[in-house]
Each structure stands twice: as C-alpha cells, then as structure tokens.
Amino acid sequence: MARLTDAVSIVTGAGRGIGKAIASRYAREGAVVVLADIDQALGEKLAQELIEAGGRAVFQQSDLANLSSIDRLVESTCSSYGRIDVLVNNAAVTKSLGFFEVTEGDWDWIHNVNSKGLFFCMQSAARVMQTQGGGRIVNIASIAGKGYPATSNVSYAGSKGAVIAMTRIAASSLAGDNINVNAICPGVTRTDLYYEVMRGKVRSSGKSEEEIMAALDASIPIGRSNEPDDIADLAVFLASAEARNVTGQSWNVDGGLMWD
Ligand SMILES: NC(=O)c1ccc[n+]([C@@H]2O[C@H](COP(=O)([O-])OP(=O)(O)OC[C@H]3O[C@@H](n4cnc5c(N)ncnc54)[C@H](O)[C@@H]3O)[C@@H](O)[C@H]2O)c1
C-alpha cells in the first residue's frame, strides 16, 4: 500500500542525487511532488520521467538562496494544489576546502543556501501547514553537522550544525500546530556532489580518487557508503503516518560512522 497517498510534497534540490531519489520515491508512494531546483534542465527531465512512470510531479525552478524565489515556490504550490503536506529541505552546496582556505565568499555561498534558505523555506511552508492543521518537514542535514572530520569544509559543517539546531527549535515551536520537524544526517553518499568533493580532495592531497574512496569506505563500520535510496527510505518514513509521534530528531544514515 502506498504510504504517501495524495500528500502534496515539495522537495528542494530535487534535480539529482539524494533529492532526486527522495522525489522519485515519494512519487511512487502516491505523493504529488513539486520538484524545486535551480537547474531547469535537470528538474524538467525528472518531472517528465516521473510522469511517464505514472507519478504526479511538477517542476518549479527555484533558488533556495533567494527569499523571493522561496516565497514563489510556496505560493505556486498552494495555488496549484491548495496545501503543503510535506517539505523536504534538501538543496545544499559545498566544495572541498582546507580550514585556512575558506573565504567570506565561500561562507556566504554555503550558508545562504544550506542554513538561511533552509530556514526561510521552513518558515514559509510552516505558515501554510499551520493554517491547514499540520504537516511534516524533513531537513537534510549531514553528519558533518555533528563533527564528522572528513567532511568537505568547516563552513559546510557549521551550516549543517545549524540545520540540526534549527530542526529542534522548529520542532518545539511547531509541535502545537501538529507540524513534525526532523532531520536526516547522511554520511558518505555517492552522488555528483560526493564526486565533486572527491576531485577537490584529490587536488589537495595528491592521492588518487580510488585511494581516497577506498579509505573512506574502509572507515565505515558497515563497510559501504550510502546510495541515495538509503536516505529516501528514511525520508518516506518521516513523512508517513507511522512517524506521527517523532519530532525534533536528527537521524544518522551513515553505516555507523557517528553515534550521536
Ligand atoms: N552526498 C553526500 O555525501 C552527502 C552527505 C551528507 C549530506 N548530504 C546532503 O544531502 C543533500 C543532497 O546532497 P547531494 O549529494 O544529493 O547533492 P547534489 O549536489 O548532487 O544535488 C544537489 C541539488 O541541489 C540543487 N541546488 C543547488 N543549489 C541550489 C539552490 N540555490 N537552489 C535550488 N537548488 C539548488 C542542485 O542543482 C542539485 O540538483 C544536501 O543537503 C547535502 O548537504 C550529502
């Protein structure tokens, strides 16, 4: 039986990687999925694929670093479907940088999308959820936000720590409105972003991509890095009726890298 029947769901950063896996899974579970991404070509292609597979999906080009764009995303979802049942805040950016390499420009680029954009997207969607009697928010954080040392850079880790903290405050602020807010903290997950960060580490370390990837996998207790579907599985649960009494939590999906 489908677990998200008719749930109007916004997935940000849905064009590729983890967002694409979540959006595709939600469509298969019966949701109406609004695919939000800055990349028009990726978003339109996925919408077409999901519709051809029998799902319900629409693409809305959105820049999560831009508050007007976030408001347009929420408004257009409401005007098309009349409600927002689920928001998955997944869009984020990063690159491989050493501690002393991070510039103010890097900081602003990362935090504008990963923490500022995520907050205002939660706020805008929660206003709608409040008036309709409830909803679900799933924030994609990272184990970097809990101090995983092999992350892409310190500014990214800070932006994801902010997501974990905001998830808790949002959960307590919105609990009385029947809005559950949880975070997923992926570990090493094989997406385009992962391979981009790997290439940065190759340049800075002098090691080969294969050596770095093998060392990363060897450091994971379960011995395998995530596929994007590993994250989608938990994102379905957190949006489903089964998670009705779960809120404010930050769930690691990382093969045992972090215990917190
Ligand atoms: N891949 C990993 O190892 C890993 C680990 C931990 C956490 N995460 C988190 O998972 C999420 C997805 O990561 P991914 O690996 O799939 O990344 P990805 O780079 O492969 O995909 C990100 C998507 O977000 C879109 N995007 C980027 N900036 C945007 C903006 N300003 N507005 C709208 N869309 C934008 C991109 O076009 C892309 O489609 C992110 O929050 C990331 O921090 C990833």
Side-chain angles (χ1 to χ4, degrees), residues 12-20 36-39 42 61-66 69 89-94 109 112-114 118 139-144 156 159-160 184-196 226 228 231:
T12 72
R16 68 180 197 181
I18 291 170
K20 179 178 178 179
D37 204 287
I38 199 164
D39 189 317
L42 285 178
Q61 189 180 26
S62 312
D63 178 1
L64 268 289
N66 180 312
S69 181
N89 256 320
N90 165 78
V93 292
T94 193
W109 172 63
N112 276 342
V113 181
N114 300 14
L118 177 139
N139 293 324
I140 307 302
S142 169
I143 57 170
Y156 174 76
S159 75
K160 294 301 188 173
I184 300 177
C185 298
V188 181
T189 310
R190 301 223 175 188
T191 65
D192 291 292
L193 180 65
Y194 163 87
Y195 287 107
E196 282 164 19
N226 294 319
I231 314 304

Tab-separated table of all heavy atoms in Angstrom, residues 12-20 36-39 42 61-66 69 89-94 109 112-114 118 139-144 156 159-160 184-196 226 228 231, ligand 1:
chain	number	residue	atom	x	y	z
A	12	THR	N	13.222	20.163	-2.296
A	12	THR	CA	14.189	21.120	-2.856
A	12	THR	C	15.460	20.379	-3.266
A	12	THR	O	15.807	19.343	-2.694
A	12	THR	CB	14.517	22.250	-1.857
A	12	THR	OG1	15.331	21.728	-0.804
A	12	THR	CG2	13.261	22.881	-1.291
A	13	GLY	N	16.135	20.922	-4.277
A	13	GLY	CA	17.342	20.256	-4.784
A	13	GLY	C	17.004	18.894	-5.351
A	13	GLY	O	17.769	17.937	-5.226
A	14	ALA	N	15.832	18.815	-6.016
A	14	ALA	CA	15.325	17.507	-6.466
A	14	ALA	C	15.940	17.045	-7.785
A	14	ALA	O	15.697	15.920	-8.212
A	14	ALA	CB	13.804	17.571	-6.608
A	15	GLY	N	16.743	17.879	-8.425
A	15	GLY	CA	17.201	17.557	-9.781
A	15	GLY	C	18.126	16.362	-9.881
A	15	GLY	O	18.180	15.692	-10.910
A	16	ARG	N	18.890	16.112	-8.828
A	16	ARG	CA	19.845	14.993	-8.899
A	16	ARG	C	20.128	14.483	-7.483
A	16	ARG	O	19.645	15.052	-6.500
A	16	ARG	CB	21.134	15.430	-9.602
A	16	ARG	CG	21.952	16.432	-8.825
A	16	ARG	CD	23.229	16.857	-9.561
A	16	ARG	NE	24.149	17.480	-8.620
A	16	ARG	CZ	25.336	17.986	-8.926
A	16	ARG	NH1	25.760	17.988	-10.176
A	16	ARG	NH2	26.111	18.505	-8.003
A	17	GLY	N	20.890	13.419	-7.395
A	17	GLY	CA	21.387	12.927	-6.105
A	17	GLY	C	20.292	12.509	-5.133
A	17	GLY	O	19.304	11.861	-5.495
A	18	ILE	N	20.490	12.913	-3.885
A	18	ILE	CA	19.588	12.496	-2.810
A	18	ILE	C	18.182	13.064	-3.034
A	18	ILE	O	17.180	12.376	-2.828
A	18	ILE	CB	20.169	12.946	-1.448
A	18	ILE	CG1	21.436	12.131	-1.130
A	18	ILE	CG2	19.134	12.823	-0.334
A	18	ILE	CD1	22.237	12.636	0.069
A	19	GLY	N	18.091	14.322	-3.476
A	19	GLY	CA	16.784	14.943	-3.716
A	19	GLY	C	16.016	14.202	-4.791
A	19	GLY	O	14.797	13.985	-4.675
A	20	LYS	N	16.700	13.800	-5.838
A	20	LYS	CA	16.060	13.043	-6.924
A	20	LYS	C	15.543	11.704	-6.394
A	20	LYS	O	14.421	11.281	-6.716
A	20	LYS	CB	17.070	12.830	-8.059
A	20	LYS	CG	16.531	12.040	-9.212
A	20	LYS	CD	17.571	11.912	-10.314
A	20	LYS	CE	17.031	11.060	-11.459
A	20	LYS	NZ	17.997	10.925	-12.543
A	36	ALA	N	11.708	21.236	-6.797
A	36	ALA	CA	12.292	22.579	-6.803
A	36	ALA	C	13.794	22.456	-6.990
A	36	ALA	O	14.450	21.733	-6.230
A	36	ALA	CB	11.983	23.272	-5.481
A	37	ASP	N	14.317	23.122	-7.997
A	37	ASP	CA	15.768	23.066	-8.212
A	37	ASP	C	16.180	24.315	-8.978
A	37	ASP	O	15.388	24.881	-9.733
A	37	ASP	CB	16.161	21.801	-9.000
A	37	ASP	CG	17.615	21.394	-8.745
A	37	ASP	OD1	18.527	22.087	-9.250
A	37	ASP	OD2	17.835	20.405	-8.022
A	38	ILE	N	17.423	24.709	-8.799
A	38	ILE	CA	17.946	25.857	-9.545
A	38	ILE	C	18.245	25.463	-10.993
A	38	ILE	O	18.270	26.306	-11.886
A	38	ILE	CB	19.217	26.409	-8.827
A	38	ILE	CG1	19.512	27.834	-9.274
A	38	ILE	CG2	20.411	25.491	-9.008
A	38	ILE	CD1	20.486	28.558	-8.358
A	39	ASP	N	18.447	24.175	-11.220
A	39	ASP	CA	18.827	23.677	-12.551
A	39	ASP	C	17.566	23.244	-13.320
A	39	ASP	O	16.992	22.186	-13.045
A	39	ASP	CB	19.798	22.501	-12.375
A	39	ASP	CG	20.412	22.057	-13.693
A	39	ASP	OD1	19.675	21.970	-14.704
A	39	ASP	OD2	21.628	21.802	-13.711
A	42	LEU	N	17.686	19.758	-15.388
A	42	LEU	CA	17.583	18.560	-14.540
A	42	LEU	C	16.160	18.389	-14.005
A	42	LEU	O	15.611	17.280	-14.003
A	42	LEU	CB	18.534	18.681	-13.335
A	42	LEU	CG	20.028	18.488	-13.554
A	42	LEU	CD1	20.766	18.694	-12.242
A	42	LEU	CD2	20.305	17.092	-14.113
A	61	GLN	N	11.206	25.994	-11.031
A	61	GLN	CA	12.587	26.454	-10.879
A	61	GLN	C	12.680	27.380	-9.668
A	61	GLN	O	11.887	28.314	-9.527
A	61	GLN	CB	13.064	27.188	-12.127
A	61	GLN	CG	14.560	27.467	-12.033
A	61	GLN	CD	15.115	28.190	-13.236
A	61	GLN	OE1	14.392	28.899	-13.923
A	61	GLN	NE2	16.398	28.014	-13.481
A	62	SER	N	13.648	27.113	-8.789
A	62	SER	CA	13.748	27.854	-7.527
A	62	SER	C	15.207	27.983	-7.125
A	62	SER	O	15.982	27.047	-7.294
A	62	SER	CB	13.029	27.101	-6.398
A	62	SER	OG	11.748	26.697	-6.790
A	63	ASP	N	15.525	29.157	-6.562
A	63	ASP	CA	16.860	29.367	-5.997
A	63	ASP	C	16.695	29.507	-4.492
A	63	ASP	O	16.157	30.500	-4.002
A	63	ASP	CB	17.486	30.633	-6.604
A	63	ASP	CG	18.854	30.924	-6.006
A	63	ASP	OD1	19.323	30.135	-5.150
A	63	ASP	OD2	19.449	31.945	-6.397
A	64	LEU	N	17.169	28.512	-3.763
A	64	LEU	CA	16.976	28.496	-2.308
A	64	LEU	C	17.829	29.536	-1.598
A	64	LEU	O	17.668	29.751	-0.393
A	64	LEU	CB	17.245	27.086	-1.765
A	64	LEU	CG	16.015	26.164	-1.669
A	64	LEU	CD1	15.080	26.607	-0.542
A	64	LEU	CD2	15.208	26.111	-2.959
A	65	ALA	N	18.704	30.220	-2.344
A	65	ALA	CA	19.466	31.318	-1.746
A	65	ALA	C	18.701	32.632	-1.867
A	65	ALA	O	19.193	33.676	-1.431
A	65	ALA	CB	20.832	31.441	-2.423
A	66	ASN	N	17.511	32.600	-2.453
A	66	ASN	CA	16.762	33.821	-2.753
A	66	ASN	C	15.366	33.743	-2.098
A	66	ASN	O	14.576	32.867	-2.437
A	66	ASN	CB	16.675	33.939	-4.288
A	66	ASN	CG	15.917	35.152	-4.731
A	66	ASN	OD1	14.823	35.441	-4.236
A	66	ASN	ND2	16.489	35.868	-5.673
A	69	SER	N	12.288	33.834	-4.308
A	69	SER	CA	12.119	32.581	-5.037
A	69	SER	C	11.471	31.519	-4.132
A	69	SER	O	10.609	30.747	-4.566
A	69	SER	CB	13.496	32.124	-5.549
A	69	SER	OG	13.400	30.943	-6.265
A	89	ASN	N	13.598	19.714	2.794
A	89	ASN	CA	14.617	20.747	2.590
A	89	ASN	C	15.942	20.052	2.306
A	89	ASN	O	16.691	19.718	3.230
A	89	ASN	CB	14.748	21.545	3.893
A	89	ASN	CG	14.078	22.892	3.814
A	89	ASN	OD1	14.146	23.585	2.799
A	89	ASN	ND2	13.443	23.271	4.904
A	90	ASN	N	16.230	19.833	1.040
A	90	ASN	CA	17.396	19.024	0.669
A	90	ASN	C	18.499	19.819	-0.040
A	90	ASN	O	19.661	19.449	0.022
A	90	ASN	CB	16.901	17.873	-0.217
A	90	ASN	CG	18.025	17.170	-0.955
A	90	ASN	OD1	18.743	16.354	-0.365
A	90	ASN	ND2	18.206	17.488	-2.229
A	91	ALA	N	18.134	20.919	-0.728
A	91	ALA	CA	19.135	21.643	-1.535
A	91	ALA	C	20.285	22.133	-0.653
A	91	ALA	O	20.062	22.655	0.440
A	91	ALA	CB	18.482	22.841	-2.229
A	92	ALA	N	21.502	21.954	-1.124
A	92	ALA	CA	22.673	22.463	-0.395
A	92	ALA	C	23.856	22.497	-1.342
A	92	ALA	O	23.843	21.843	-2.391
A	92	ALA	CB	22.996	21.582	0.811
A	93	VAL	N	24.859	23.277	-0.956
A	93	VAL	CA	26.084	23.375	-1.772
A	93	VAL	C	27.306	23.236	-0.869
A	93	VAL	O	27.252	23.549	0.321
A	93	VAL	CB	26.161	24.734	-2.523
A	93	VAL	CG1	25.081	24.831	-3.588
A	93	VAL	CG2	26.080	25.913	-1.564
A	94	THR	N	28.407	22.783	-1.467
A	94	THR	CA	29.701	22.763	-0.770
A	94	THR	C	30.805	22.463	-1.770
A	94	THR	O	30.540	22.146	-2.935
A	94	THR	CB	29.716	21.735	0.380
A	94	THR	OG1	30.885	21.977	1.190
A	94	THR	CG2	29.747	20.295	-0.107
A	109	TRP	N	28.144	31.849	0.342
A	109	TRP	CA	27.588	30.940	-0.667
A	109	TRP	C	26.976	29.709	0.007
A	109	TRP	O	25.833	29.313	-0.280
A	109	TRP	CB	28.718	30.537	-1.629
A	109	TRP	CG	28.398	29.465	-2.617
A	109	TRP	CD1	27.466	29.508	-3.613
A	109	TRP	CD2	29.044	28.184	-2.723
A	109	TRP	NE1	27.489	28.332	-4.324
A	109	TRP	CE2	28.443	27.512	-3.803
A	109	TRP	CE3	30.072	27.548	-2.018
A	109	TRP	CZ2	28.840	26.219	-4.190
A	109	TRP	CZ3	30.469	26.277	-2.403
A	109	TRP	CH2	29.849	25.624	-3.472
A	112	ASN	N	24.063	30.766	2.711
A	112	ASN	CA	22.851	31.323	2.104
A	112	ASN	C	21.897	30.230	1.654
A	112	ASN	O	20.679	30.370	1.783
A	112	ASN	CB	23.199	32.207	0.895
A	112	ASN	CG	23.563	33.602	1.330
A	112	ASN	OD1	23.257	34.017	2.436
A	112	ASN	ND2	24.236	34.337	0.459
A	113	VAL	N	22.425	29.151	1.117
A	113	VAL	CA	21.562	28.045	0.685
A	113	VAL	C	21.287	27.102	1.862
A	113	VAL	O	20.133	26.818	2.195
A	113	VAL	CB	22.218	27.236	-0.469
A	113	VAL	CG1	21.286	26.107	-0.915
A	113	VAL	CG2	22.563	28.141	-1.638
A	114	ASN	N	22.361	26.629	2.501
A	114	ASN	CA	22.246	25.474	3.409
A	114	ASN	C	21.529	25.782	4.715
A	114	ASN	O	20.833	24.912	5.253
A	114	ASN	CB	23.642	24.931	3.758
A	114	ASN	CG	24.422	24.467	2.551
A	114	ASN	OD1	24.077	24.767	1.416
A	114	ASN	ND2	25.511	23.751	2.781
A	118	LEU	N	17.255	27.276	3.948
A	118	LEU	CA	16.500	26.179	4.587
A	118	LEU	C	15.546	26.732	5.644
A	118	LEU	O	14.390	26.332	5.720
A	118	LEU	CB	17.488	25.177	5.194
A	118	LEU	CG	16.871	24.003	5.962
A	118	LEU	CD1	17.609	22.697	5.647
A	118	LEU	CD2	16.869	24.248	7.468
A	139	ASN	N	14.368	17.905	7.112
A	139	ASN	CA	15.559	18.667	6.731
A	139	ASN	C	16.722	17.709	6.482
A	139	ASN	O	16.996	16.846	7.315
A	139	ASN	CB	15.945	19.632	7.852
A	139	ASN	CG	14.926	20.733	8.048
A	139	ASN	OD1	14.345	21.211	7.072
A	139	ASN	ND2	14.704	21.136	9.284
A	140	ILE	N	17.385	17.877	5.343
A	140	ILE	CA	18.564	17.036	5.092
A	140	ILE	C	19.785	17.777	5.631
A	140	ILE	O	20.228	18.783	5.065
A	140	ILE	CB	18.721	16.704	3.594
A	140	ILE	CG1	17.425	16.094	3.023
A	140	ILE	CG2	19.904	15.745	3.409
A	140	ILE	CD1	16.922	14.818	3.694
A	141	ALA	N	20.287	17.301	6.757
A	141	ALA	CA	21.482	17.877	7.383
A	141	ALA	C	22.687	17.069	6.909
A	141	ALA	O	22.832	16.794	5.713
A	141	ALA	CB	21.335	17.872	8.893
A	142	SER	N	23.542	16.650	7.817
A	142	SER	CA	24.726	15.845	7.477
A	142	SER	C	25.395	15.446	8.780
A	142	SER	O	25.310	16.185	9.773
A	142	SER	CB	25.710	16.672	6.639
A	142	SER	OG	26.952	15.991	6.527
A	143	ILE	N	26.138	14.332	8.757
A	143	ILE	CA	26.934	14.016	9.942
A	143	ILE	C	28.054	15.051	10.128
A	143	ILE	O	28.627	15.151	11.206
A	143	ILE	CB	27.497	12.575	9.934
A	143	ILE	CG1	28.338	12.299	8.694
A	143	ILE	CG2	26.382	11.552	10.103
A	143	ILE	CD1	29.111	10.964	8.765
A	144	ALA	N	28.327	15.847	9.073
A	144	ALA	CA	29.277	16.961	9.224
A	144	ALA	C	28.813	17.901	10.328
A	144	ALA	O	29.626	18.468	11.067
A	144	ALA	CB	29.401	17.731	7.908
A	156	TYR	N	30.761	24.410	5.748
A	156	TYR	CA	29.672	23.459	5.456
A	156	TYR	C	29.239	22.751	6.744
A	156	TYR	O	28.039	22.638	7.028
A	156	TYR	CB	30.167	22.442	4.426
A	156	TYR	CG	29.206	21.307	4.135
A	156	TYR	CD1	28.085	21.495	3.336
A	156	TYR	CD2	29.441	20.026	4.648
A	156	TYR	CE1	27.221	20.450	3.048
A	156	TYR	CE2	28.593	18.971	4.367
A	156	TYR	CZ	27.482	19.184	3.568
A	156	TYR	OH	26.622	18.149	3.292
A	159	SER	N	27.137	25.008	8.707
A	159	SER	CA	25.785	25.186	8.147
A	159	SER	C	24.897	23.990	8.492
A	159	SER	O	23.696	24.131	8.705
A	159	SER	CB	25.849	25.395	6.619
A	159	SER	OG	26.111	24.184	5.926
A	160	LYS	N	25.479	22.802	8.565
A	160	LYS	CA	24.693	21.601	8.864
A	160	LYS	C	24.430	21.471	10.370
A	160	LYS	O	23.388	20.952	10.785
A	160	LYS	CB	25.397	20.358	8.318
A	160	LYS	CG	25.468	20.333	6.782
A	160	LYS	CD	24.082	20.379	6.155
A	160	LYS	CE	24.104	20.171	4.660
A	160	LYS	NZ	22.763	20.048	4.073
A	184	ILE	N	17.556	14.405	8.678
A	184	ILE	CA	18.343	13.211	8.336
A	184	ILE	C	19.785	13.676	8.155
A	184	ILE	O	20.045	14.693	7.509
A	184	ILE	CB	17.836	12.557	7.039
A	184	ILE	CG1	16.370	12.140	7.188
A	184	ILE	CG2	18.707	11.344	6.674
A	184	ILE	CD1	15.758	11.545	5.915
A	185	CYS	N	20.701	12.930	8.749
A	185	CYS	CA	22.126	13.256	8.635
A	185	CYS	C	22.798	12.162	7.817
A	185	CYS	O	23.233	11.128	8.361
A	185	CYS	CB	22.762	13.321	10.019
A	185	CYS	SG	22.052	14.611	11.045
A	186	PRO	N	22.893	12.361	6.482
A	186	PRO	CA	23.579	11.343	5.687
A	186	PRO	C	25.076	11.319	6.003
A	186	PRO	O	25.668	12.347	6.328
A	186	PRO	CB	23.354	11.801	4.238
A	186	PRO	CG	22.235	12.794	4.290
A	186	PRO	CD	22.347	13.437	5.638
A	187	GLY	N	25.647	10.126	5.882
A	187	GLY	CA	27.109	10.010	5.864
A	187	GLY	C	27.567	10.083	4.419
A	187	GLY	O	26.975	10.798	3.600
A	188	VAL	N	28.596	9.333	4.104
A	188	VAL	CA	29.172	9.351	2.755
A	188	VAL	C	28.159	8.766	1.769
A	188	VAL	O	27.760	7.612	1.894
A	188	VAL	CB	30.467	8.499	2.735
A	188	VAL	CG1	31.101	8.510	1.362
A	188	VAL	CG2	31.436	8.987	3.811
A	189	THR	N	27.713	9.572	0.811
A	189	THR	CA	26.637	9.167	-0.105
A	189	THR	C	27.067	9.431	-1.535
A	189	THR	O	27.466	10.561	-1.870
A	189	THR	CB	25.338	9.949	0.209
A	189	THR	OG1	25.068	9.857	1.612
A	189	THR	CG2	24.163	9.391	-0.569
A	190	ARG	N	27.007	8.409	-2.356
A	190	ARG	CA	27.567	8.517	-3.724
A	190	ARG	C	26.635	9.302	-4.653
A	190	ARG	O	25.732	8.743	-5.255
A	190	ARG	CB	27.848	7.137	-4.262
A	190	ARG	CG	28.848	6.414	-3.348
A	190	ARG	CD	29.870	5.682	-4.124
A	190	ARG	NE	30.861	5.125	-3.199
A	190	ARG	CZ	31.977	4.555	-3.582
A	190	ARG	NH1	32.240	4.458	-4.859
A	190	ARG	NH2	32.831	4.084	-2.694
A	191	THR	N	26.892	10.595	-4.730
A	191	THR	CA	26.136	11.497	-5.617
A	191	THR	C	27.149	12.332	-6.399
A	191	THR	O	28.350	12.266	-6.153
A	191	THR	CB	25.263	12.453	-4.791
A	191	THR	OG1	26.141	13.295	-4.025
A	191	THR	CG2	24.310	11.725	-3.854
A	192	ASP	N	26.642	13.180	-7.313
A	192	ASP	CA	27.546	14.073	-8.051
A	192	ASP	C	28.332	14.973	-7.098
A	192	ASP	O	29.508	15.241	-7.310
A	192	ASP	CB	26.744	14.944	-9.034
A	192	ASP	CG	26.173	14.112	-10.157
A	192	ASP	OD1	26.953	13.618	-10.982
A	192	ASP	OD2	24.941	13.924	-10.196
A	193	LEU	N	27.641	15.434	-6.039
A	193	LEU	CA	28.316	16.297	-5.063
A	193	LEU	C	29.488	15.556	-4.423
A	193	LEU	O	30.583	16.104	-4.267
A	193	LEU	CB	27.313	16.737	-3.989
A	193	LEU	CG	27.847	17.650	-2.890
A	193	LEU	CD1	28.291	18.995	-3.456
A	193	LEU	CD2	26.789	17.877	-1.814
A	194	TYR	N	29.256	14.306	-4.066
A	194	TYR	CA	30.312	13.481	-3.467
A	194	TYR	C	31.521	13.397	-4.407
A	194	TYR	O	32.666	13.581	-3.981
A	194	TYR	CB	29.722	12.086	-3.183
A	194	TYR	CG	30.718	10.971	-2.946
A	194	TYR	CD1	31.220	10.723	-1.682
A	194	TYR	CD2	31.132	10.155	-3.997
A	194	TYR	CE1	32.126	9.687	-1.463
A	194	TYR	CE2	32.033	9.125	-3.785
A	194	TYR	CZ	32.523	8.890	-2.518
A	194	TYR	OH	33.415	7.870	-2.313
A	195	TYR	N	31.258	13.153	-5.709
A	195	TYR	CA	32.379	13.016	-6.639
A	195	TYR	C	33.082	14.358	-6.865
A	195	TYR	O	34.305	14.402	-7.013
A	195	TYR	CB	31.901	12.406	-7.968
A	195	TYR	CG	31.579	10.934	-7.818
A	195	TYR	CD1	30.269	10.474	-7.815
A	195	TYR	CD2	32.595	10.001	-7.619
A	195	TYR	CE1	29.972	9.129	-7.629
A	195	TYR	CE2	32.314	8.651	-7.430
A	195	TYR	CZ	30.994	8.227	-7.442
A	195	TYR	OH	30.722	6.899	-7.236
A	196	GLU	N	32.315	15.470	-6.809
A	196	GLU	CA	32.955	16.793	-6.932
A	196	GLU	C	33.886	17.053	-5.744
A	196	GLU	O	35.007	17.530	-5.913
A	196	GLU	CB	31.872	17.895	-6.990
A	196	GLU	CG	31.202	18.005	-8.353
A	196	GLU	CD	29.890	18.789	-8.322
A	196	GLU	OE1	29.660	19.549	-7.352
A	196	GLU	OE2	29.092	18.620	-9.260
A	226	ASN	N	26.638	5.167	1.433
A	226	ASN	CA	25.212	5.164	1.084
A	226	ASN	C	25.001	5.283	-0.411
A	226	ASN	O	25.731	5.992	-1.093
A	226	ASN	CB	24.509	6.402	1.656
A	226	ASN	CG	24.451	6.454	3.157
A	226	ASN	OD1	24.204	5.450	3.801
A	226	ASN	ND2	24.662	7.632	3.722
A	228	PRO	N	21.863	6.996	-2.699
A	228	PRO	CA	20.812	7.979	-2.379
A	228	PRO	C	19.521	7.338	-1.863
A	228	PRO	O	18.833	7.913	-1.008
A	228	PRO	CB	20.594	8.698	-3.717
A	228	PRO	CG	21.927	8.608	-4.395
A	228	PRO	CD	22.483	7.266	-4.016
A	231	ILE	N	18.833	7.169	1.874
A	231	ILE	CA	18.282	8.364	2.512
A	231	ILE	C	16.773	8.456	2.213
A	231	ILE	O	15.969	8.820	3.077
A	231	ILE	CB	18.988	9.646	1.996
A	231	ILE	CG1	20.522	9.462	1.977
A	231	ILE	CG2	18.574	10.860	2.828
A	231	ILE	CD1	21.151	9.072	3.273
B	1	LIG	N1	26.442	13.296	-0.909
B	1	LIG	C1	26.845	13.207	0.360
B	1	LIG	O1	27.829	12.508	0.692
B	1	LIG	C2	26.090	13.951	1.440
B	1	LIG	C3	26.467	13.719	2.775
B	1	LIG	C4	25.801	14.387	3.779
B	1	LIG	C5	24.777	15.262	3.488
B	1	LIG	N2	24.438	15.483	2.185
B	1	LIG	C6	23.361	16.435	1.944
B	1	LIG	O2	22.375	15.834	1.127
B	1	LIG	C7	21.737	16.855	0.341
B	1	LIG	C8	21.788	16.476	-1.134
B	1	LIG	O3	23.153	16.296	-1.493
B	1	LIG	P1	23.586	15.627	-2.880
B	1	LIG	O4	24.837	14.893	-2.592
B	1	LIG	O5	22.445	14.936	-3.498
B	1	LIG	O6	23.954	16.968	-3.708
B	1	LIG	P2	23.981	17.249	-5.300
B	1	LIG	O7	24.907	18.423	-5.468
B	1	LIG	O8	24.276	16.025	-6.055
B	1	LIG	O9	22.483	17.727	-5.586
B	1	LIG	C9	22.030	18.947	-5.060
B	1	LIG	C10	20.892	19.502	-5.884
B	1	LIG	O10	20.567	20.791	-5.327
B	1	LIG	C11	20.437	21.743	-6.360
B	1	LIG	N3	20.764	23.084	-5.857
B	1	LIG	C12	21.984	23.571	-5.545
B	1	LIG	N4	21.879	24.851	-5.164
B	1	LIG	C13	20.565	25.175	-5.223
B	1	LIG	C14	19.839	26.365	-4.956
B	1	LIG	N5	20.447	27.501	-4.583
B	1	LIG	N6	18.500	26.346	-5.116
B	1	LIG	C15	17.868	25.204	-5.530
B	1	LIG	N7	18.513	24.065	-5.807
B	1	LIG	C16	19.848	24.047	-5.657
B	1	LIG	C17	21.409	21.277	-7.429
B	1	LIG	O11	21.070	21.800	-8.719
B	1	LIG	C18	21.264	19.756	-7.342
B	1	LIG	O12	20.237	19.281	-8.190
B	1	LIG	C19	22.446	18.153	0.687
B	1	LIG	O13	21.734	18.804	1.704
B	1	LIG	C20	23.788	17.676	1.192
B	1	LIG	O14	24.421	18.617	2.032
B	1	LIG	C21	25.072	14.856	1.157
